[in-house]
Amino acid sequence: MNVAWLEADWPAPPGVVAGTTLRQGGFSRGPYESLNLATHVGDDLQLVARNHHVFRNTCQLPSEPLWLAQVHGTTVLDAASAPSAPEGDAMQTDLPDVVCAVLTADCLPVVFASRSGRSVAVAHAGWRGLADGILESTVAAMTCEAQDLQVWLGPAISQSAFEVGAEVRERFVTQDSDAAMHFRPNSRGRWQADLYGLARRRLQHCGVTDLYGGRRCTFGEPQAFFSYRRDGACGRMATFVFRRPHTA
């Protein structure tokens, strides 16, 4: 069995491999069908373990990913010193053959790499983490300057599907009044939030200009992606990055 996965659509830095799994190619059943990689959603853990195995083999990962216990916060861990089962929402490393990964099902996964390919990271950015600064924290944790980064925005829920309340809009607009352009009012008196646009804006404010991705919708593509907003009980995709040893 082969895992279906989406390779990052960017000019990959030397030796860097990154992408997001799709939902096909695994063993899970019911709402988790079929390549669920999360152990915390109620799926059969034996089937999840089989999914991990086929994921690693198909994507030719050099090691088991360093899975985070994600909490919608701003903690960025260094893979070289991270404890087992680390709690946080981003992981970075300068080490070769270390796989950094996050799990999502509507939240925005963001992959970072220095142009040299030496330093890589991945972050989990739901609206809370995005508002609190998870992307800024990840940029600050990288061992290169912001202008030397390439960033890929993986699959997330699109603006047309992501309805939020006024309190969410207020969180962003209070920090940056021009963030209002990324919220569109709807007929229910609520707002449609553009995660991709908000993320691009915050990254650009950090000095990151080399941005890619941000064109898929997890909610609107049920054959390809899990979506918590669409389905409730569901699996999770993995977005991952690592660099090969020959990278300078």
Side-chain angles (χ1 to χ4, degrees), residues 101-159:
V102 293
L103 295 169
T104 61
D106 284 334
C107 290
L108 174 61
V110 183
V111 176
F112 301 75
S114 61
R115 286 195 178 92
S116 70
R118 181 173 181 83
S119 183
V120 299
V122 65
H124 158 249
W127 75 260
R128 292 176 181 83
L130 194 57
D132 288 341
I134 183 59
L135 299 185
E136 292 90 337
S137 294
T138 306
V139 170
M142 303 288 288
T143 56
C144 64
E145 298 300 318
Q147 60 266 28
D148 292 328
L149 285 171
Q150 290 182 201
V151 172
W152 179 64
L153 306 179
I157 193 168
S158 67
Q159 184 173 19

Side-chain angles (χ1 to χ4, degrees), residues 143-201:
T143 56
C144 64
E145 298 300 318
Q147 60 266 28
D148 292 328
L149 285 171
Q150 290 182 201
V151 172
W152 179 64
L153 306 179
I157 193 168
S158 67
Q159 184 173 19
S160 62
F162 191 34
E163 180 182 283
V164 299
E167 73 285 356
V168 175
R169 179 179 181 274
E170 185 66 19
R171 283 278 295 277
F172 287 94
V173 174
T174 297
Q175 300 171 29
D176 172 14
S177 61
D178 287 338
M181 70 177 67
H182 300 295
F183 293 86
R184 187 176 66 236
N186 64 29
S187 61
R188 292 172 294 281
R190 290 166 64 81
W191 299 89
Q192 301 298 132
D194 180 8
L195 275 181
Y196 286 132
L198 290 164
R200 289 190 186 98
R201 182 174 186 83

Side-chain angles (χ1 to χ4, degrees), residues 201-220:
R201 182 174 186 83
R202 297 181 80 105
L203 288 164
Q204 288 166 346
H205 282 181
C206 290
V208 180
T209 58
D210 212 356
L211 300 169
Y212 302 90
R215 291 186 293 271
R216 304 297 292 265
C217 177
T218 48
F219 184 97

